[in-house]
Amino acid sequence: MKEIPDGTIHLMVTSPPYYNAPFDYPDLFETYEEFLQLVRDLSKDLYRVMAPGRVACFVTDDMLVKGQKYPVVADVTRLMLDAGFRYRDRIVWVKPKGYVRISRRSGVVIQHPYPMYYYPDNIQESILVFQKGKFDYSYLRGLPAKELEKSRIPIDAYNGEGWALTVWNITNVLPMGQRLEKGVAAFPEEIPKRLIRLFSFHGETVLDPFLGSGTTMKVAQELGRSSWGFEIDRGLGKIIKQKLAGNSQSGWKVEFLFRRDTNRIPRSERLRSKRPSQIIAKIAR
């Protein structure tokens, strides 16, 4: 993320590609270690670009691939700690019970109602919250009163919608219909909306290094935050532009850069696009 100056990001919200997820990224990575190296590289550069005391959030979960379970949550946590971050919190995102893409693993017990056949269906993911050092709360005294007021957390939603809890019940983006993110493992807008309101101030800068369809940047702009986004799959450029164009507000400047740097792109990332390059998006006033 060489385009981003040191210490200028106030919040990161992202969802890395799920390790070889059967529905979304089958055989994307050659090995689990290749996936971990991607996270390791990100965490080091992330520590550079994050402002002191600020928060980085990963939406991810352990993966079951070809009968083997991979401890993604534990390993992402370990790599972020190795990079110098503090482990602040873990929120459990619970999806509706009728989620059509769950594996139905629990049905094995119905076929074989005996011990040792139990494999639960997974309807949750983890939102891992890390912090670069500790936040200096005297920072609030230096903010203009207008910006501070615009940053106020909506207490009705905070209490009424369960923001205050470590379990968030949020409907996922279902893979159906004519939605713009068709074929993309997008997370619902409600997740970045809550995280941006809870961990950044109006006018600050949000980052999503695995931009996907552009959800984080769209929500950040709606909430009055500038943002950066990086995406390795140039094929998603049209979707990102559509999502951000439908969200244009006066006074905001949207920039797109393309960096062709295939020698540094892992094999797994090159497989995602016939024209591999990085899409770099930036929104600012």
Side-chain angles (χ1 to χ4, degrees), residues 134-148:
K134 294 184 178 181
F135 181 68
D136 182 359
Y137 287 91
S138 65
Y139 176 83
L140 276 70
R141 294 198 294 269
L143 291 175
K146 186 177 180 180
E147 295 297 310
L148 191 59

Side-chain angles (χ1 to χ4, degrees), residues 180-235:
L180 188 60
E181 304 93 341
K182 188 175 182 180
V184 181
F187 51 38
E189 292 185 9
E190 183 66 18
I191 289 179
K193 184 186 83 170
R194 293 187 187 188
L195 295 173
I196 291 169
R197 295 298 297 265
L198 292 169
F199 292 118
S200 72
F201 294 87
H202 190 272
E204 292 188 333
T205 303
V206 177
L207 164 69
D208 188 342
F210 298 103
L211 185 56
S213 64
T215 300
T216 298
M217 294 189 76
K218 174 182 182 292
V219 175
Q221 185 184 7
E222 290 174 347
L223 295 176
R225 275 72 165 171
S226 298
S227 59
W228 284 89
F230 291 77
E231 175 52 52
I232 204 78
D233 187 349
R234 187 169 180 172

Side-chain angles (χ1 to χ4, degrees), residues 5-170:
D6 295 0
T8 57
I9 298 299
H10 301 98
L11 171 65
M12 186 211 72
V13 178
T14 198
S15 183
Y18 297 87
Y19 172 67
N20 290 5
F23 292 111
D24 303 301
Y25 305 107
D27 301 317
L28 175 61
F29 297 93
E30 191 168 8
T31 64
Y32 184 55
E33 178 54 38
E34 184 183 357
F35 167 77
L36 295 181
Q37 187 60 49
L38 177 67
V39 178
R40 184 179 293 112
D41 291 342
L42 170 68
S43 63
K44 292 177 181 178
D45 206 26
L46 187 60
Y47 194 85
R48 175 186 67 80
V49 302
M50 294 293 298
R54 294 316 189 95
V55 162
C57 303
F58 286 83
V59 181
T60 189
D61 204 54
D62 297 342
M63 283 304 307
L64 178 70
V65 181
K66 299 177 182 178
Q68 182 173 346
K69 194 87 166 183
Y70 292 88
V72 174
V73 171
D75 285 336
V76 169
T77 301
R78 173 177 56 84
L79 292 173
M80 286 292 284
L81 293 177
D82 288 347
F85 287 91
R86 297 171 57 232
Y87 179 45
R88 174 163 172 154
D89 265 307
R90 174 175 174 255
I91 300 165
V92 178
W93 165 29
V94 179
K95 306 170 188 178
K97 292 181 180 179
Y99 182 32
V100 296
R101 294 175 67 189
I102 60 177
S103 65
R104 308 296 181 188
R105 301 170 74 219
S106 59
V108 176
V109 168
I110 297 174
Q111 298 174 1
H112 306 280
Y114 304 102
M116 300 303 296
Y117 283 99
Y118 173 65
Y119 296 95
D121 290 332
N122 182 30
I123 58 169
Q124 61 91 36
E125 292 188 33
S126 297
I127 303 173
L128 304 174
V129 182
F130 303 96
Q131 191 169 14
K132 181 179 177 178
K134 294 184 178 181
F135 181 68
D136 182 359
Y137 287 91
S138 65
Y139 176 83
L140 276 70
R141 294 198 294 269
L143 291 175
K146 186 177 180 180
E147 295 297 310
L148 191 59
E149 183 59 30
K150 288 181 178 179
S151 304
R152 184 180 292 273
I153 294 170
I155 298 303
D156 288 347
Y158 181 78
N159 288 323
E161 298 175 13
W163 297 19
L165 306 176
T166 56
V167 176
W168 289 356
N169 291 281
I170 299 173

Side-chain angles (χ1 to χ4, degrees), residues 167-178:
V167 176
W168 289 356
N169 291 281
I170 299 173
T171 300
N172 47 302
V173 177
L174 296 174
M176 56 181 61
Q178 300 300 312

